[in-house]
Amino acid sequence: MALDAKIPAGEMDKKWSDYKGHVKLVNPANKRKLEVIVVGTGLAGASAAASLGEMGYKVKAFCFQDSPRRAHSIAAQGGINAAKNYQNDGDSVFRLFYDTVKGGDYRAREANVHRLAEVSGSIIDQCVAQGVPFAREYGGLLSNRSFGGTQVQRTFYAAGQTGQQLLLGAYSALERQVALGNVTQYSRHEMLDVVVIDGKARGIIARDLISGELESHFGHAVLLCTGGYGNVFYLSTNAMGSNVTAAWKAHKKGAYFGNPCFTQIHPTCIPVSGDHQSKLTLMSESLRNDGRIWVPKQQNDNRKAIDIPEEERDYYLERRYPAFGNLVPRDVASRAAKERCDAGYGVGTTKMAVYLDFADAIVRYGKIEAGKTGNHNPSKEEAIALGKKVVEEKYGNLFEMYDKITGENPYETPMRIYPAVHYTMGGLWVDYELMTTVPGLYALGEANFSDHGANRLGASALMQGLADGYFVIPYTLGNFLADEIRTPAIPTTHEAFVQAEKVVADRIHQLMNVKGTETVESFHKRLGKIMWDKCGMARNAQGLQDAIVEIQQLKKEFWSNVRIPGEINEMNTELDKAGRVADFIELGELMCMDALNRAESCGGHFREESQTEDGEAKRDDENFSYVSAWEFKNEQGWEMHKETLNFEIVKPTQRSYK
């Protein structure tokens, strides 16, 4: 079955404005009769709930944390992209659109990406109005820095804590609506099912994580803003609580899952230190602006970094990709680091790391600072002292974090980094209106598959989350709700709610009654190892086939031998985690099936059988220029549907950053 993405007709740069001009509207009096459920209160959820509350809808917002401020959006450090061309360096809406489609290795839907580029500038204006403290130039203009995969500076930032500052902006907008009574907020609630009535999403079943009680909530529409599923790999840069459960329950109720195998590996992560680690910490990609990445030229070199002379260092990204250097896209930088480490040039105790070195930048900035006072020939010591202050101002909290975690001072010695699982480009399949294949059920931000193709460019996650919440869903949701104004609120005593609640309760009892001997954590770790080894940075047919068999076996074991202490009707974090890991196990199987089916390399999906002579990803546009959208059939299988990708403007070519 071919999927209808509902892409408006007409020229690319007029599609969105034409759509907005002809879309159905809901008048203010009718908005007050309509109820909308928003699940997740990160950037996409908080911005959507705040916007819809402001418009007059009755909104219920759910988050499983104790406060929306704890959403994982706060962990985004480096910045947010927007095509404002403040630097006067040639940026434009078209160039942001082009870079994003190319960066995603030509596996994204052009119309969605163009819309994202169009609204990007408005996001910055909105956030400045909210008081987000973006970095500024001396003259007062907002500052920009570079990120991977682009040759312009379009990334707006607030030191190394951009995500946190943007979330505080969206959170304050949300809390204002809560205070006005337009939004009701449910913290410590986890969505465990979608309720579908007459083919439309009409509510959710949520569990109060403090009391353990199940609750039914009605909504004329349901918006899932629940983030990505990177924790399927166990070790990732995601917060420990980040999970796939809400999206997975929607998937099992009929929402197709798009491109599940597209995961992003981030190149600048603090390396794994041992077997007892539960998460990984990211060093912002913004560090690749000024840091140079290198390994020793000789294998197994055990000298300290500062003892290795310049001529014995291999700045391999600058060598292999002279046009972009250290600012190649994430998938390219990650594979290059893996290649060097696999070949025996890695550093540190595990030899699975490369250096990110700021020495050159510190001296360069120091000389500029000295020049401001008329000292055009500072000594090296003077330059270093002055340069450190500049670097501290730009990246201080990141350097501090690195120091705290590793016990090493990155001003004095290079950071050690290695790629790690970060963002997921796959997610629930949505059309141009962000609606899933279940009418009335929408997915926003990282929870959908829509804008990044096979690889996300740095600083585009914050952009997509806020674009979807502030500027897209307020228009597209009305197109559906305009036909629902005569639908009265459905009481939660309705058979569909009662039935859904019973299914959720039965599953919880089933989990608690296994009473096996293995912890939830041990199953999660085992799943993560299978996924990282066989569906991680490199994949091959044999490994993926083995992984599917191993995951099916793990699922059997989980449901016959997991041990969950405590009771159901109380706060029970092990029970919460068990439900999430059970969903991850099922998702892991689908990811491996999707990766096995996609017999090409593109972006973050690297099939070893499909590479160029010099080890770059080799796409097969003739056979794989589509979105794979998987329909859940039963516990034994899925059916794949295809959305064919047509490129009107950015014609697919072999990506080159050389």
Side-chain angles (χ1 to χ4, degrees), residues 158 305 503 601 609 642:
V503 169
S601 292
E609 304 93 333
K642 296 178 182 179

Side-chain angles (χ1 to χ4, degrees), residues 578-621:
R580 294 167 194 169
V581 171
D583 294 333
F584 274 140
I585 292 171
E586 294 178 7
L587 166 72
E589 183 181 348
L590 180 61
M591 286 171 72
C592 292
M593 283 173 60
D594 189 42
L596 182 60
N597 168 76
R598 193 171 279 278
E600 64 159 355
S601 292
C602 56
H605 166 68
F606 189 73
R607 281 288 294 268
E608 289 168 356
E609 304 93 333
S610 186
Q611 52 181 302
T612 62
E613 283 170 15
D614 50 358
E616 303 292 344
K618 189 176 172 188
R619 286 196 328 272
D620 176 355
D621 291 332

Side-chain angles (χ1 to χ4, degrees), residues 60-218:
K60 288 182 179 178
F62 292 81
C63 73
F64 68 75
Q65 297 98 337
D66 53 356
S67 160
R69 282 177 315 204
R70 290 202 191 278
H72 190 57
S73 304
I74 73 157
Q77 300 158 336
I80 175 168
N81 289 332
K84 277 188 169 293
N85 196 29
Y86 279 177
Q87 301 295 320
N88 204 19
D89 59 357
D91 200 12
S92 63
V93 166
F94 177 82
R95 203 173 285 274
L96 173 53
F97 157 68
Y98 176 89
D99 286 344
T100 306
V101 174
K102 177 185 171 185
D105 220 351
Y106 308 96
R107 291 291 173 263
R109 186 192 290 152
E110 276 192 334
N112 283 58
V113 179
H114 200 282
R115 174 174 66 189
L116 177 66
E118 284 177 67
V119 305
S120 65
S122 305
I123 298 171
I124 305 301
D125 300 340
Q126 172 99 353
C127 296
V128 168
Q130 288 170 345
V132 172
F134 286 119
R136 291 180 183 267
E137 300 291 358
Y138 179 71
L141 267 185
L142 297 185
S143 186
N144 288 117
R145 56 187 175 203
S146 306
F147 258 60
T150 71
Q151 288 178 308
V152 295
Q153 291 185 296
R154 66 161 68 99
T155 304
F156 293 78
Y157 63 98
Q161 44 179 286
T162 316
Q164 182 171 4
Q165 297 300 338
L166 291 171
L167 185 68
L168 289 172
Y171 170 75
S172 57
L174 170 64
E175 291 308 308
R176 179 169 176 271
Q177 295 306 316
V178 171
L180 291 170
N182 300 329
V183 177
T184 309
Q185 194 173 295
Y186 295 84
S187 298
R188 290 273 183 213
H189 278 66
E190 180 166 32
M191 176 193 129
L192 293 180
D193 210 352
V194 179
V195 178
V196 178
I197 299 175
D198 298 333
K200 293 177 181 175
R202 291 299 193 202
I204 64 168
I205 308 298
R207 182 165 178 267
D208 179 328
L209 297 180
I210 303 291
S211 68
E213 282 179 33
L214 296 179
E215 300 173 4
S216 291
H217 293 273
F218 164 78

Side-chain angles (χ1 to χ4, degrees), residues 426-632:
L428 293 177
W429 183 90
V430 293
D431 61 20
Y432 188 74
E433 300 189 306
L434 306 185
M435 197 193 289
T436 65
T437 46
V438 176
L441 180 67
Y442 294 78
L444 283 65
E446 194 180 355
N448 73 33
F449 87 100
S450 76
D451 294 14
H452 307 293
N455 170 61
R456 177 175 68 70
L457 292 181
S460 287
L462 302 180
M463 174 173 67
Q464 189 211 341
L466 291 178
D468 287 357
Y470 283 138
F471 298 108
V472 179
I473 202 72
Y475 288 96
T476 63
L477 184 63
N479 208 32
F480 171 76
L481 290 179
D483 296 330
E484 299 296 325
I485 54 176
R486 289 184 186 79
T487 306
I490 298 169
T492 53
T493 50
H494 185 286
E495 180 57 29
F497 280 99
V498 175
Q499 192 52 40
E501 201 170 306
K502 183 182 181 306
V503 169
V504 171
D506 289 350
R507 187 171 187 263
I508 290 172
H509 281 97
Q510 190 187 347
L511 273 171
M512 289 300 287
N513 289 331
V514 176
K515 300 197 188 309
T517 58
E518 265 201 71
T519 63
V520 175
E521 195 79 353
S522 64
F523 282 107
H524 195 180
K525 258 187 184 171
R526 284 164 61 192
L527 172 67
K529 182 155 177 49
I530 298 168
M531 294 299 294
W532 178 246
D533 290 348
K534 294 175 179 166
C535 194
M537 255 202 280
R539 302 146 183 207
N540 60 56
Q542 188 58 55
L544 290 164
Q545 284 159 351
D546 295 347
I548 290 168
V549 174
E550 287 171 44
I551 292 168
Q552 287 167 344
Q553 182 52 42
L554 187 72
K555 182 177 176 179
K556 283 197 189 96
E557 240 184 284
F558 177 89
W559 285 98
S560 59
N561 197 30
V562 71
R563 178 169 181 76
I564 305 166
E567 302 297 326
I568 290 173
N569 289 321
E570 64 179 18
M571 186 168 174
N572 187 341
T573 52
E574 278 305 287
L575 175 57
D576 306 339
K577 196 161 40 170
R580 294 167 194 169
V581 171
D583 294 333
F584 274 140
I585 292 171
E586 294 178 7
L587 166 72
E589 183 181 348
L590 180 61
M591 286 171 72
C592 292
M593 283 173 60
D594 189 42
L596 182 60
N597 168 76
R598 193 171 279 278
E600 64 159 355
S601 292
C602 56
H605 166 68
F606 189 73
R607 281 288 294 268
E608 289 168 356
E609 304 93 333
S610 186
Q611 52 181 302
T612 62
E613 283 170 15
D614 50 358
E616 303 292 344
K618 189 176 172 188
R619 286 196 328 272
D620 176 355
D621 291 332
E622 203 172 320
N623 296 305
F624 294 99
S625 201
Y626 61 76
V627 177
S628 56
W630 295 85
E631 178 186 5
F632 177 79

